[in-house]
Amino acid sequence: LHNWVCTLGSDLAGFNVTVPHKIAICSFLAGLTPEAASIGAVNTVINRRGVLYGDNTDIDGFLSGLGSMLQNQLPGSHIGII
């Protein structure tokens, strides 16, 4: 993973990262967005002038889906997420 990021990653505008590399790639990047840092995992790498930064868009997708699902729930409902 490290060799790939160092040799090919900087030639790309960006790329996606999947399991099992979402956590490991964090240590090879120049920085993380607040979302990626709080989750501790990266699924999107952005190349900014040859410097690679990590982001995580999983939480946006999760919260969007959760919000859509909860719109149909009655106010005052108790919901548990495991």
Side-chain angles (χ1 to χ4, degrees):
L1 181 62
H2 180 261
N3 290 339
W4 189 90
V5 170
C6 291
T7 58
L8 296 176
S10 61
D11 291 336
L12 304 172
F15 54 91
N16 287 4
V17 181
T18 62
V19 172
H21 305 296
K22 289 182 176 191
I23 296 171
I25 199 165
C26 293
S27 61
F28 307 132
L29 303 174
L32 304 176
T33 62
E35 294 80 9
S38 68
I39 294 170
V42 164
N43 73 340
T44 304
V45 176
I46 303 110
N47 183 341
R48 293 189 184 135
R49 298 181 184 159
V51 181
L52 301 178
Y53 297 91
D55 190 13
N56 193 307
T57 60
D58 288 337
I59 191 68
D60 292 336
F62 173 78
L63 292 177
S64 176
L66 183 62
S68 296
M69 185 179 74
L70 293 179
Q71 284 180 343
N72 299 325
Q73 301 299 318
L74 297 173
S77 296
H78 297 281
I79 300 171
I81 299 174
I82 299 174

